[in-house]
Amino acid sequence: MRIDAIELHRVGMPLVRPFETSFGVQTAREVLLIRVRTDAGDGWGECVAGTEPFYSSEYVDGAAHVIEHYLAPTLLRAPDVTAASVARQLGYVAGHRMAKAALEAAVLDAELRAVGRSFGEYFGATAEWVDCGVSVGIAPSIDELLAEVAGYVAEGYKRIKLKVKPGWDLEPVARVRELLGPDGLLQVDANTAYTLADAEHLKRLDPFDLLLIEQPFDEEDIASHAALAQVIETPVCLDESILSAAIAVDAIERGATSIVNIKAGRVGGYLEALRVHDICRELSVPVWCGGMLETGIGRAANVALAALPGFTLPGDTSASGRYFADDLAEPFVLGSGEHAGQLRVPTGPGTGVEVDEAFVAARALSPHRTLR
Ligand SMILES: O=C(O)CCC(=O)N[C@@H](C(=O)O)c1ccccc1
């Protein structure tokens, strides 16, 4: 395809409730959306970089800058661009995986819409519905945490993930385990808030039969995660550390992770996410789909990804209403009956969602940029 223009849209989306993690509190998403205009039609992609460089080194202003000054000009100059060529064409720029992923996703959306294929069909999805978990932030009090969790259980979510940090871990986990009962699926996410010195403390989570403990240590400290895995029963799962399929293999082979959280934006795009899925499947390592508070664009793509056979654990593919009162596309709503706690995999061309351009314009934080 020839890319004629690349649009950058900055949209403000308030969260239905504050979302607190070990690295801060979010009350809104400032999301960068990409629309590519090609000779085969348009496509939308979503950049998962947050407003601040706290989850990773990427942040939305940086992503917009590197797209405007490096990545978009390269694709606009190229005589032919396909989703499969984007990573190679942009490889001369180091890092900036979330920015690259947004462009690749937009190109993939345009490419697949042009031939009437869905993301799910292109990825090799084997399910029509995916099991959904939900991520629960650090709460002002235990009672407020329990009320929020009870609400999600009532909505049918298949798995609860609690954000933890030093001082907010054992008691919240104990109380939520009590609320869920012994069979409820429960896991925790530390977002690098601990160090190996906390190993004995983290071992005290073992009696609560957690599915996993996610990213307890610094994203570059693979060795400490391997050491922790030797002393605790709870399986260790990496998120921030896993930037590519190659790093996933290294972490798995070093015993640092026995379950992998896959986020397309973190690894540079959905095509690399497929490679992570495939290598984890070969190594018999379960994966699940992480979330970055995506709008309907990224949420649709994540649900399609989560429909692959290696995604055997419920992911953070929650209903749109978990985060947003209104979304830029038809909201994702949990199924009922036999599909309780599940989201249906979109079957329309590309992501399968139609972006409400009036919504995007109305929520624009600044005039959109059109690069040619
Ligand atoms: O369900 C979601 O989309 C959010 C899931 C979630 O907890 N995401 C966390 C994470 O550390 O994985 C996150 C949120 C915002 C920004 C970065 C990371």
Side-chain angles (χ1 to χ4, degrees):
M1 299 185 300
R2 272 267 330 132
I3 299 184
D4 303 321
I6 295 176
E7 295 174 5
L8 283 71
H9 297 258
R10 301 284 285 270
V11 176
M13 307 262 295
L15 299 183
V16 293
R17 66 180 63 85
F19 185 62
E20 182 173 348
T21 67
S22 63
F23 57 81
V25 183
Q26 266 188 271
T27 58
R29 270 232 43 222
E30 180 189 345
V31 57
L32 170 63
L33 301 175
I34 301 294
R35 172 159 58 183
V36 295
R37 309 277 198 167
T38 82
D39 56 1
D42 295 350
W44 283 96
E46 175 171 352
C47 182
V48 298
T51 307
E52 316 282 355
F54 297 160
Y55 166 81
S56 81
S57 59
E58 294 194 70
Y59 63 107
V60 70
D61 285 342
H65 187 276
V66 76
I67 288 170
E68 181 166 350
H69 294 275
Y70 294 92
L71 306 180
T74 299
L75 298 182
L76 287 162
R77 274 196 305 271
D80 182 40
V81 177
T82 64
S85 73
V86 167
R88 172 177 46 76
Q89 289 167 312
L90 301 182
Y92 77 99
V93 169
H96 294 286
R97 289 178 172 83
M98 294 176 183
K100 292 174 179 176
L103 287 165
E104 183 192 87
V107 170
L108 182 60
D109 189 39
E111 201 172 316
L112 294 182
R113 284 176 190 268
V115 295
R117 295 180 68 193
S118 71
F119 269 43
E121 191 256 316
Y122 176 83
F123 290 162
T126 51
E128 293 182 358
W129 291 80
V130 299
D131 286 348
C132 299
V134 63
S135 179
V136 186
I138 293 166
S141 71
I142 292 288
D143 286 347
E144 286 165 279
L145 175 75
L146 296 175
E148 186 178 350
V149 170
Y152 296 142
V153 170
E155 287 182 60
Y157 282 104
K158 301 273 191 182
R159 177 269 282 146
I160 297 293
K161 166 170 123 175
L162 299 180
K163 292 293 180 177
V164 295
K165 65 177 182 182
W168 180 270
D169 48 26
L170 295 177
E171 188 188 0
V173 166
R175 297 293 299 278
V176 170
R177 171 50 77 204
E178 187 183 359
L179 183 154
L180 294 178
D183 301 327
L185 298 186
L186 176 61
Q187 65 193 55
V188 297
D189 184 0
N191 291 111
T192 76
Y194 298 88
T195 68
L196 191 53
D198 298 310
E200 281 312 307
H201 175 77
L202 295 174
K203 188 165 179 54
R204 295 172 62 194
L205 289 169
D206 281 349
F208 299 108
D209 191 22
L210 300 178
L211 280 172
L212 56 94
I213 176 170
E214 191 180 351
Q215 200 72 48
F217 307 143
D218 182 274
E219 65 266 21
E220 296 181 2
D221 190 353
I222 300 297
S224 290
H225 287 100
L228 178 70
Q230 293 298 312
V231 299
I232 68 172
E233 299 302 316
T234 305
V236 176
C237 170
L238 292 180
D239 168 2
E240 288 91 331
S241 296
I242 309 298
L243 301 180
S244 65
I247 292 175
V249 171
D250 180 50
I252 291 163
E253 289 182 346
R254 293 168 60 183
T257 191
S258 52
I259 300 171
V260 171
N261 165 333
I262 294 182
K263 291 178 180 175
R266 184 194 71 220
V267 300
Y270 285 92
L271 303 194
E272 184 67 10
L274 292 178
R275 288 187 278 270
V276 177
H277 164 268
D278 293 347
I279 193 64
C280 285
R281 202 156 178 239
E282 270 178 51
L283 298 171
S284 303
V285 169
V287 302
W288 56 280
C289 186
M292 296 288 281
L293 311 178
E294 286 92 347
T295 73
I297 297 170
R299 196 162 299 277
N302 286 348
V303 172
L305 184 68
L308 287 170
F311 286 81
T312 54
L313 292 170
D316 287 344
T317 48
S318 308
S320 305
R322 159 67 183 89
Y323 295 105
F324 307 114
D326 304 299
D327 198 353
L328 50 65
E330 194 65 30
F332 281 87
V333 177
L334 292 181
S336 54
E338 64 172 314
H339 295 300
Q342 296 185 317
L343 284 180
R344 189 187 193 102
V345 179
T347 54
T351 58
V353 303
E354 290 313 314
V355 174
D356 178 345
E357 297 191 36
F359 180 100
V360 171
R363 295 289 180 90
L365 297 170
S366 55
H368 71 270
R369 302 296 308 273
T370 301
L371 309 171
R372 295 186 192 286

